[in-house]
Amino acid sequence: MPLWSHARPKTALTAVAAFAALTSVTAVGAPAHADTNPFQRGPAPTEASVSAQKGPFATAQVNVPANSGEGFNDGTIYYPTDTSQGTFGAIAVMPGFLSPQDWIRWYGPTLASQGFVVMTLDSKGFIDSPTARGNQLLAALDYLTTKSKVVDRIDTSRLGVVGWSMGGGGALESTYNRPSLKADVALAPWHVGLDQSKITVPSLILADDNDWLAPTGSFAKPFYAGIPESTNKAFIELKNANHFTFTGYNKNIAKYAVSWLKRFVDDDTRYDQFLCPKPATNNEISQSEETCPLH
């Protein structure tokens, strides 16, 4: 008979039992990423929660008059009132050419209710270039994290930008000057001369299929294609939408913007399920591309 089965049965069984107990304890004691992530905020997400106009956090707002800080015009800060979960990531949001803050204002309370401090902006000039708008986004983040009334609610290491139209081009360009940004979301972006090959910040580009101001084939899609494959990136085109769809609440805009920002600003992998695999073509999404799995 083999030595294992007869010569030392008690020792062998004891060793097996000890090994099993050890591996069992290790498996139970090794928490999932979501349990160890110090930046995770809010309950487990669902399809309904990420698509909602209002998330799980109650919010308040603070007006920021002109001349409150350097490098930007004026804005409004929206923030979670909950102080029990620690600090939050911060997001600055920029409108487009000839567009007031009101046209992108809905992103403030919607993103804040998902667990971010958000500042929506008026551009310094209605005809400001994407480059100028990108600089203003960064200036607004600097104000948020150093001088604003909500400094103590912000984790200064977790910052992102969102922009629409020329503001979307500015959001993409801001990543050159501050590659430490955790994420950017460009909504129907417009820019001429953008060198997207230098973008290393995780970038989501949302477009629409009826855009005559920033046609997807001339702007959003080439921007996405030019971002290096080593960068986390996604491109989603909304069906039966236009350039101004982004100026009001839309469940798909909310779903993908929230999921992208939660995934990369908060490093919250619970939101991977809404991003990968890439969204399927259907009656709401006309095309999509994405680097999956995300890293």
Side-chain angles (χ1 to χ4, degrees):
M1 291 290 183
L3 181 64
W4 178 264
S5 60
H6 279 279
R8 302 179 63 186
K10 292 183 180 180
T11 303
L13 289 174
T14 301
V16 171
F19 178 77
L22 177 61
T23 55
S24 175
V25 170
T26 302
V28 173
H33 174 82
D35 295 329
T36 59
N37 176 15
F39 309 132
Q40 178 180 302
R41 301 289 182 268
T46 65
E47 183 78 23
S49 72
V50 296
S51 304
Q53 187 167 5
K54 181 175 175 55
F57 290 93
T59 64
Q61 69 182 68
V62 175
N63 292 327
V64 181
N67 301 316
S68 295
E70 296 182 0
F72 68 94
N73 185 5
D74 60 79
T76 310
I77 299 171
Y78 301 86
Y79 61 94
T81 57
D82 187 350
T83 59
S84 67
Q85 299 192 40
T87 55
F88 298 90
I91 311 293
V93 187
M94 175 64 69
F97 186 73
L98 299 177
S99 303
Q101 178 187 176
D102 282 346
W103 290 13
I104 48 87
R105 190 180 297 277
W106 76 271
Y107 295 94
T110 294
L111 294 177
S113 70
Q114 295 285 355
F116 296 104
V117 175
V118 184
M119 185 172 178
T120 58
L121 298 163
D122 280 307
S123 57
K124 294 186 73 173
F126 278 152
I127 62 172
D128 285 344
S129 68
T131 298
R133 291 170 193 269
N135 291 335
Q136 291 167 43
L137 282 166
L138 297 180
L141 288 177
D142 290 341
Y143 170 80
L144 268 176
T145 56
T146 59
K147 297 180 179 180
S148 73
K149 294 180 179 179
V150 295
V151 169
D152 60 343
R153 297 175 183 268
I154 298 172
D155 180 344
T156 59
S157 69
R158 298 188 290 119
L159 307 176
V161 291
V162 175
W164 167 63
S165 194
M166 278 195 180
L172 289 168
E173 181 157 326
S174 68
T175 64
Y176 301 158
N177 295 325
R178 194 164 299 178
S180 62
L181 292 173
K182 297 301 183 183
D184 73 80
V185 177
L187 311 163
W190 190 99
H191 198 312
V192 175
L194 178 69
D195 183 5
Q196 57 271 32
S197 68
K198 296 179 180 179
I199 295 177
T200 59
V201 174
S203 300
L204 168 64
I205 299 175
L206 291 174
D208 57 275
D209 63 347
N210 291 307
D211 201 324
W212 57 272
L213 287 171
T216 297
S218 300
F219 294 96
K221 193 66 180 288
F223 291 165
Y224 171 82
I227 296 174
E229 292 297 317
S230 57
T231 299
N232 284 302
K233 61 178 182 174
F235 161 79
I236 300 170
E237 184 184 69
L238 305 181
K239 194 170 185 177
N240 298 321
N242 61 57
H243 197 69
F244 295 94
T245 298
F246 297 94
T247 62
Y249 164 74
N250 173 285
K251 68 176 185 179
N252 282 308
I253 298 173
K255 173 182 177 178
Y256 295 113
V258 167
S259 296
W260 195 262
L261 294 170
K262 294 294 276 188
R263 174 61 179 83
F264 291 106
V265 174
D266 287 356
D267 191 29
D268 195 335
T269 56
R270 296 180 300 172
Y271 290 81
D272 281 2
Q273 62 183 301
F274 307 111
L275 300 169
C276 291
K278 68 179 183 179
T281 301
N282 53 36
N283 62 352
E284 297 178 336
I285 305 295
S286 51
Q287 56 176 321
S288 68
E289 297 292 339
E290 192 160 354
T291 52
C292 289
L294 302 171
H295 54 273

